[in-house]
Amino acid sequence: MQTSTFPSVRALDQLLDGLGAGAARRRQLNMVRGELDRALERDALPVRARRSLRRLLEEEALGPYVRLAESGALRHRQVEGGFPPTSVATNEIRRKCVDLLREALGLPALGLGGGEIPLQPAPEAATLAVLARQLDQYLAGPMSPAQTRLTAVLALELDTAARSGELVELRTTDLGEDNAAVYVERRPQGGGAGEGEWVETSALTRAALERWLEVRGDLVQRAHGTSKLWVSLWMNHDGILDDDGHTTIRPPGMPLEENGLVTSYRVGRLRYDGLRQLLPLKLEALRRTVDAERQRTAA
């Protein structure tokens, strides 16, 4: 991220560095940071918001910022040749981030319109056992590298109820002896200090990890090594263009980012037999059911 020319945004960068938010929330907050910087560049906010972070996060500046951002005018790249309005989901995320920043600065939340995004329907608890049986069937036969990775991800999710940002941060060093346990660093959705815990793994997860680690070993060897548990399967690029319009090519075996993990979930849900009926549209909805069941059995 480039350093802003505005003192208020540079102060915002310092605030963000101290928040300790999870990877997904940090990306959302960085989106807001970039939009605020572009709004100041367009002279769309009060002049005093350039110098003071507190002024930048006052309603006098945030009101015009939110309206301009929702119009799409503050997008950092074009979408299909234009700058369309941002989605309802993005609008609600933006408003939530605005309130998180104000609270971090000791200011009350504004609640700038909108309302909470309806949660995706979560599967019934009984579906978890059916899903586990389906994954066990996969392990009994041949699987592609993509199916092997997804099977291990889903098995671990059934044990840990980890968020996608927590899953993607796992390293091979977070696995216990014989994959009998996994250390998960919990990352609160709203930011704040995380808390780690060791979670015992099921026989299903141990078998799924054994299959995946064999595939992973071949991939990582080609990419010169990483300790991240989840790695890419195919050559891709980093999505960042240089001055000549070129991007860095990434070989297979590079650390999988959160977007890649979520995409593999969505694709696998549709691709592999039996999953469409068992998995909700979003991994987060599955996580909520697993978490509720873990809390029920622990009570």
Side-chain angles (χ1 to χ4, degrees):
M1 183 183 297
Q2 294 183 345
T3 301
S4 174
T5 59
F6 302 106
S8 59
V9 179
R10 294 200 296 271
L12 176 58
D13 289 337
Q14 294 179 358
L15 180 69
L16 290 173
D17 287 341
L19 276 185
R25 181 65 77 191
R26 183 58 192 258
R27 283 197 300 272
Q28 295 164 358
L29 290 166
N30 283 339
M31 175 196 75
V32 169
R33 181 263 186 211
E35 290 178 339
L36 286 167
D37 196 45
R38 290 189 287 277
L40 289 170
E41 290 176 348
R42 295 169 63 114
D43 295 327
L45 306 183
V47 173
R48 58 185 180 179
R50 300 177 181 181
R51 299 185 296 272
S52 165
L53 177 57
R54 184 170 290 269
R55 296 295 190 186
L56 181 62
L57 297 183
E58 286 181 345
E59 187 171 5
E60 182 181 358
L62 290 176
Y65 152 66
V66 166
R67 291 191 294 272
L68 190 62
E70 290 181 352
S71 76
L74 298 179
R75 289 181 180 271
H76 70 287
R77 65 167 62 100
Q78 292 188 2
V79 177
E80 297 181 351
F83 296 90
T86 53
S87 68
V88 172
T90 298
N91 295 344
E92 295 305 329
I93 288 169
R94 181 184 293 112
R95 290 167 179 151
K96 177 64 174 176
C97 287
V98 162
D99 282 342
L100 286 174
L101 292 174
R102 282 179 56 87
E103 290 169 3
L105 201 63
L107 300 172
L110 285 177
L112 292 171
E116 293 297 324
I117 305 171
L119 293 174
Q120 289 286 330
E124 298 291 333
T127 304
L128 302 181
V130 182
L131 175 59
R133 289 196 295 271
Q134 180 65 72
L135 298 179
D136 192 49
Q137 289 181 26
Y138 292 159
L139 290 169
M143 294 189 292
S144 68
Q147 189 177 19
T148 302
R149 185 179 66 186
L150 181 61
T151 298
V153 168
L154 292 175
L156 259 180
E157 181 62 31
L158 290 176
D159 286 347
T160 64
R163 300 181 187 277
S164 58
E166 297 164 353
L167 283 172
V168 83
E169 290 298 324
L170 290 175
R171 297 180 179 272
T172 55
T173 51
D174 293 322
L175 299 175
E177 186 176 359
D178 297 326
N179 304 324
V182 59
Y183 184 78
V184 181
E185 186 72 29
R186 302 296 183 182
R187 299 170 181 267
Q189 183 67 19
E195 183 176 339
E197 66 168 324
W198 282 98
V199 180
E200 183 178 351
T201 56
S202 63
L204 171 68
T205 298
R206 294 194 292 274
L209 284 172
E210 183 177 359
R211 289 281 291 270
W212 164 244
L213 289 171
E214 182 177 352
V215 173
R216 177 192 174 280
D218 292 337
L219 292 165
V220 169
Q221 188 174 16
R222 281 183 270 167
H224 308 296
T226 176
S227 64
K228 285 295 187 73
L229 180 58
W230 313 115
V231 298
S232 61
L233 306 174
W234 301 283
M235 182 173 64
N236 55 33
H237 59 81
D238 63 6
I240 301 174
L241 298 178
D242 60 23
D243 293 339
D244 296 324
H246 300 129
T247 185
T248 302
I249 299 300
R250 294 159 51 95
M254 297 294 287
L256 191 67
E257 298 184 0
E258 188 174 356
N259 284 342
L261 186 143
V262 171
T263 297
S264 71
Y265 173 88
R266 290 201 308 265
V267 172
R269 175 182 174 273
L270 301 176
R271 176 177 294 169
Y272 305 120
D273 291 342
L275 289 188
R276 188 188 298 225
Q277 295 75 29
L278 296 173
L279 294 178
L281 291 174
K282 294 189 176 183
L283 178 60
E284 171 59 21
L286 175 65
R287 186 200 71 80
R288 295 202 313 272
T289 297
V290 175
D291 188 48
E293 188 63 10
R294 291 180 78 226
Q295 293 185 35
R296 185 189 69 79
T297 55

